[in-house]
Amino acid sequence: MENSIHTFKNEDEIIKVQMIEFDDFNSLHFFNMKKDHQAFINLCNLYQNYIVKKYKEIFGTLILFTLPDDYPLNLDNNTEYGTIYSKETLLNIYFRKHICLKNGELVFNNERSEEIFNDLVNKDCLKIAKGKRKYLKFLPVSNKLGFISESHKDSMLRFNSNFFVMDSFDVDSVYDVIGTNIGLCIDDGKIINPSFFDRETFIYKKDGTFLIEKTNINDLEIIIDNKVFNKDNCHICMRPDCLFTKESVMDLIIVENEVVSIKRGGKTRIPSGGFVISLDKEIEINDRKVSYQGYNDIKFAVQVGNSILIDNKETLEFKSSFYNFLKFWKVSFPPSMYPLNFKKSKAPRMILGTKDNKGVVLWIEGKGKFGYQNGLDSAGASLLETVKICKSLGLNNAIHLDGGGSAEIYYQNRKLLKVSDRDEKTLEEIERGLSLGLFI
C-alpha cells in the first residue's frame, strides 16, 4: 500500500490531495461505525451553527432528536401511517400530531408529548435549530452514528463510503431517519444494501474486472420472511419514479434491511431513504428482516456517483441524478444534495477508482467552513477539476464517494488532511458522524 500527498494549483488557489494505492479489492470491506452519542451532538451543532444559520431564509424550526436503544417509548404503534416498528418513526409521528408552532413558540397539546420532549432534552438527545420561516419539522436521527476515527482502529486503511440521509429535505416522509444508508453495497458477494435511484455504481466482479454502470433495485430479488419479491410479482415503488404508492391491499415500507411499517390501503408516501413493496393481496409477515439476492457475478460494489472516469474516458457531465438545493420544493427527486454547477462548485471530494488494475482512494481536502485562508488552505475541487486531477494521477476508472464534510481517510490510524466542518470560534476540526465506512 502506498500513500502520497499532492498539491495542485489553480490560479491563486491550491488543492491538496491524498492518494492511497492498494493491491487487492478482495481486501476492501464495509464496516459499521462504533456508536457514539457525540456524533449526534456534532450533527446538531452543524445544523445550528452552519446549515440553518447560513440558509436561515429557507429553514423554519427544526427539531433533531435521537433515541437510546433502551428508551421506553410506550406509544401505540397503530397509526394512520401503518403499523410502525421503528421507534424513531413512531415518535416522529407522535410529535407531529401533538406539537405545533404558534407565534414562534412550541405548543404541546398533551402532557405525554411534553414529557417525552423534555426528557430527551435532559438526556442531550434533542436539539433545536431555528431559521426564519414559520414551519416546524422533526428530524429523527439514527443512534447508530459514530466516527471513523474511533472505529476499526486496527485497520491499515479506512474511509467513508456511500451517501446517507443527511439533509433536512431528505427527511421527506415519516419513515425517513438521518443516518440511513443510500445505495447498493456488495461486500464479498453479499448484498448489504439495495440499489437506489438509478445511480452509477463502482463494481468489482468476481472475474477480476472493473466497471462503472447504473444499477437498479428491479434487478434484485427481495426476501422477507422466506418470501421472494421481485418486479414480476409486486410493485416496487421508489423515488423519483413516484411520490406516493397507488391504492393497494398492503404496503411494506422498507428502510435498509428492515420492514419499518406495514400499511393497508396504499397511498403511502415513499421514503427518500427507502422503498415500498405494494401488494394486491394480504400476506402474513412474521420476520421483518429483509435480505437481497442478485448480481451473483459481483464481488464488491458501492453505488454513489457521479462517475469521474470510465475506462480512461472523462465524465464531463452528470450521469447520476441529484436535486438542486436551490429548488428544495422538488422533494420527489432523490436525496443527497450536490453542488450542481459541474465546473464551478467546489467541495471536499472522495474518490474510489483503479490505476493499472490496482485500487485507488483519493481525498481532496476542501475549504474549512470557517477560517479558510486563500492560497494557504486547500480550496476543494469542482467536479470538472476532480476529473482533471484523477486523470493527471493516472486513474483509469473513478467514481465519487460521499464527499463534503463526510470526506475522511485514516491511513495507518493517522489522518493527514483536514475535514471541512470546523468550530466557528476555535476553528478546530469537527468530525462528522457516519453509519458506514470502508476498510482494509
Side-chain angles (χ1 to χ4, degrees):
M1 193 177 296
E2 296 181 14
N3 171 60
S4 57
I5 302 293
H6 305 264
T7 301
F8 295 84
K9 290 187 178 181
N10 183 9
E11 296 179 351
D12 61 338
E13 294 180 333
I14 63 170
I15 304 172
K16 295 179 182 178
V17 181
Q18 182 178 9
M19 179 176 179
I20 308 285
E21 301 174 66
F22 59 94
D23 293 330
D24 187 4
F25 265 91
N26 290 306
S27 61
L28 187 61
H29 301 284
F30 290 92
F31 71 95
N32 295 311
M33 299 296 159
K34 177 183 176 182
K35 292 193 291 186
D36 193 326
H37 183 68
Q38 187 62 41
F40 171 73
I41 302 301
N42 287 6
L43 175 72
C44 295
N45 288 337
L46 178 65
Y47 264 89
Q48 292 170 326
N49 301 327
Y50 184 75
I51 296 175
V52 174
K53 190 174 182 179
K54 184 176 181 180
Y55 302 106
K56 55 181 178 287
E57 302 295 337
I58 65 174
F59 285 109
T61 298
L62 307 181
I63 297 179
L64 298 96
F65 68 89
T66 190
L67 289 171
D69 284 333
D70 57 352
Y71 193 83
L73 202 54
N74 299 324
L75 298 175
D76 184 1
N77 71 336
N78 292 307
T79 75
E80 61 186 290
Y81 300 95
T83 303
I84 306 297
Y85 301 102
S86 161
K87 289 200 300 184
E88 291 88 356
T89 293
L90 186 58
L91 185 56
N92 187 11
I93 294 168
Y94 192 75
F95 276 165
R96 286 164 58 138
K97 184 176 182 180
H98 294 290
I99 304 175
C100 63
L101 198 64
K102 290 185 178 180
N103 299 320
E105 299 295 327
L106 295 176
V107 176
F108 303 85
N109 69 12
N110 70 357
E111 291 183 1
R112 179 65 175 143
S113 61
E114 187 171 11
E115 177 187 338
I116 296 173
F117 186 96
N118 290 332
D119 188 38
L120 291 178
V121 170
N122 292 333
K123 286 181 166 60
D124 221 14
C125 290
L126 188 149
K127 304 286 183 179
I128 301 174
K130 297 193 73 169
K132 287 191 173 182
R133 296 188 70 194
K134 297 179 181 179
Y135 71 82
L136 177 64
K137 186 169 186 177
F138 295 95
L139 301 178
V141 180
S142 170
N143 69 356
K144 298 176 183 178
L145 297 179
F147 300 120
I148 290 179
S149 63
E150 298 300 323
S151 305
H152 261 285
K153 287 187 173 183
D154 57 347
S155 60
M156 177 67 74
L157 171 69
R158 60 193 191 273
F159 52 97
N160 60 296
S161 57
N162 52 318
F163 288 132
F164 58 96
V165 173
M166 164 68 190
D167 303 304
S168 68
F169 308 121
D170 294 350
V171 184
D172 187 51
S173 77
V174 296
Y175 314 107
D176 286 307
V177 176
I178 290 177
T180 299
N181 295 308
I182 300 171
L184 179 67
C185 299
I186 299 179
D187 190 319
D188 200 21
K190 180 181 179 182
I191 300 171
I192 60 175
N193 213 49
S195 305
F196 267 59
F197 308 128
D198 200 33
R199 289 181 179 162
E200 290 173 292
T201 307
F202 180 92
I203 294 169
Y204 171 63
K205 303 184 77 171
K206 291 179 179 178
D207 64 6
T209 58
F210 302 93
L211 67 152
I212 294 175
E213 64 181 17
K214 292 183 177 181
T215 54
N216 192 286
I217 197 169
N218 287 307
D219 298 330
L220 302 177
E221 290 188 332
I222 303 161
I223 297 92
I224 307 170
D225 202 24
N226 295 317
K227 301 173 181 67
V228 178
F229 302 92
N230 56 43
K231 62 184 178 181
D232 297 323
N233 63 13
C234 67
H235 299 287
I236 302 173
C237 309
M238 66 164 25
R239 310 287 187 95
D241 300 329
C242 46
L243 184 57
F244 290 89
T245 64
K246 297 179 180 179
E247 288 188 8
S248 68
V249 173
M250 188 177 187
D251 280 350
L252 307 178
I253 298 94
I254 298 167
V255 175
E256 291 183 345
N257 300 302
E258 187 174 2
V259 177
V260 298
S261 176
I262 297 175
K263 184 175 180 290
R264 271 81 181 177
K267 297 185 177 181
T268 301
R269 192 174 186 92
I270 299 167
S272 293
F275 64 97
V276 178
I277 290 178
S278 193
L279 302 171
D280 56 9
K281 63 179 180 180
E282 186 84 13
I283 64 170
E284 184 177 353
I285 298 291
N286 296 308
D287 185 353
R288 295 181 292 102
K289 294 296 180 184
V290 181
S291 60
Y292 306 93
Q293 289 184 358
Y295 298 132
N296 295 326
D297 60 337
I298 296 177
K299 179 78 169 178
F300 170 89
V302 58
Q303 182 187 31
V304 189
N306 199 56
S307 62
I308 300 169
L309 295 164
I310 301 178
D311 294 333
N312 296 305
K313 183 178 179 180
E314 299 176 1
T315 301
L316 300 176
E317 61 183 0
F318 277 104
K319 293 187 176 181
S320 292
S321 297
F322 302 94
Y323 66 63
N324 190 333
F325 78 100
L326 296 176
K327 298 178 180 179
F328 59 89
W329 55 89
K330 290 190 173 183
V331 291
S332 62
F333 214 64
S336 309
M337 293 194 297
Y338 221 69
L340 282 184
N341 189 314
F342 202 93
K343 296 180 179 180
K344 295 181 180 180
S345 297
K346 295 178 181 290
R349 307 290 180 188
M350 283 292 298
I351 295 99
L352 178 65
T354 64
K355 180 180 179 180
D356 301 328
N357 289 320
K358 291 186 177 182
V360 177
V361 182
L362 294 183
W363 175 13
I364 299 177
E365 181 184 306
K367 292 180 179 179
K369 287 185 167 59
F370 302 102
Y372 169 73
Q373 300 179 78
N374 190 39
L376 296 176
D377 300 323
S378 181
S382 70
L383 297 173
L384 181 59
E385 286 171 333
T386 303
V387 171
K388 301 303 181 184
I389 288 170
C390 290
K391 187 72 172 177
S392 70
L393 291 174
L395 275 69
N396 311 117
N397 293 283
I399 195 169
H400 284 279
L401 298 179
D402 185 17
S406 301
E408 202 168 6
I409 288 176
Y410 273 79
Y411 173 67
Q412 295 181 339
N413 213 27
R414 295 175 59 219
K415 181 170 65 65
L416 301 180
L417 299 182
K418 295 181 179 180
V419 298
S420 61
D421 291 354
R422 308 284 174 85
D423 183 275
E424 184 174 7
K425 295 180 180 178
T426 67
L427 304 184
E428 290 181 358
E429 298 173 67
I430 300 176
E431 189 175 0
R432 187 172 295 187
L434 309 171
S435 56
L436 198 65
L438 286 162
F439 81 100
I440 291 178

